[in-house]
Amino acid sequence: MSTDPINDEKEIQDIVHELSLDIEKDREFAKRLKRILLVSALIVIGAFSFGVFTYLVYLNFSVSKLETEVKEKDKSLRELEQSLFSLMYQEQLRDELVLSLDVDSDTSLQKQVDENVEFLKEVSQSHKGKNILRGNENFKEIALTFDLATGEELPTLYNYVKDYDIHVTIFLSNERPSDVSGSFFHRQNLDYIKRLAKTDQVEFANHTWSHFNYQRSVMESSLKKRTVLEYLSKSVLDLPHMAEELKKVEDMFYSLTKQELKKYYRLPYGALSQLILDAHASLGYDEHIMWSRNSKGSLDLPDYIHKQFLYKKSANGKKEVVKNPHYKTSEETLAFLDAWERIDPNGMNGSIILMHLGGPRKFDKLIHILPEFITRMKAKGYKFVTVSQILNGKAD
């Protein structure tokens, strides 16, 4: 052990110095660590804040984009709704151009129209009617649907149902606005409706009693048009009248068959609006059955278009005869149906086809394509089902 006080003091100073250096190093390390932690925290907070900001900007952009898409889809839906009106409805509008030149709105009638529209809005505000254009696209099912029309082809359909083992849906209407004449007053029609009801292969739904154009019958303010045009109700079509139109068909069907009509309906000419759909929903008819459509066209088959040729004004103002673009032969209709299935991403899965059981077409009737069409589709694995079956969410 050293006895030199100077050396001992020097050693102690060296130790103290080393300890001071170690303490200083620890302090510097602590400071650096604090700086690192602070910078890291700031970086994390900054990154988080930037992330939140970026996400909020993205959300705002996405919401704006969605709002734009919703507006565009809503516009497309309105345009599609208009395009789905049948060719008969479009022909009605063209025919009325002649009347429009000398027809004015009636002030009193316009007031009734406005009051009725307001009432329909009020009474249906808690109801939302649906317009069904297609069934379940997951299954190879086709709904063949028929509007009764004159009913003259009911016997033909009866044979097809029995011979080809298919299920179909018929929408019943008296076809004309009368209580003493029309489709429900032909003995053959009544007989075959009863026969078809007994097969358990046919579903019956509502096509209204008088076969009015509902959209026009609600909105038309020209007294002359209501008087002249047979497809318009003579008075403003209000909710009690709509209810009566449905009830008459229900009662007639029950008196014939002792069966209840399905709560599906199809308005004549496909002439509807969301207001009219909602009004019917308030009456217990929630689902309006339209027909399917894709880029190839509408499955409202033109079996009621009977004029093969039309007059058209040429460039020099003279009349010339041209082919009716809406007229399809049986062969053309079969080719159209094949193309419709081929072009659609889902084929004919869930498709709803509209045909008519009689009309002005007397030659090359399209109902006679059904044996070939049914055979073709069955060979591809399709089944022919009712509207109820095509909407029930399962394979039938």
Side-chain angles (χ1 to χ4, degrees), residues 369-385:
I369 70 171
L370 287 182
E372 185 172 348
F373 175 65
I374 292 167
T375 302
R376 284 186 191 180
M377 293 297 104
K378 280 191 169 185
K380 293 181 179 182
Y382 288 97
K383 291 187 67 176
F384 288 84
V385 300

Side-chain angles (χ1 to χ4, degrees), residues 87 144 291 298-305 328 333 336-337 353-356 366 369-370 373:
L87 294 176
L144 263 180
W291 45 83
S298 165
L299 290 182
D300 170 19
L301 301 189
D303 47 9
Y304 47 83
I305 303 294
K328 281 188 176 72
T333 304
F336 165 78
L337 289 169
I353 299 174
L354 166 62
M355 299 185 73
H356 296 79
L366 295 189
I369 70 171
L370 287 182
F373 175 65

Side-chain angles (χ1 to χ4, degrees), residues 182 323 347:
K323 189 174 184 291

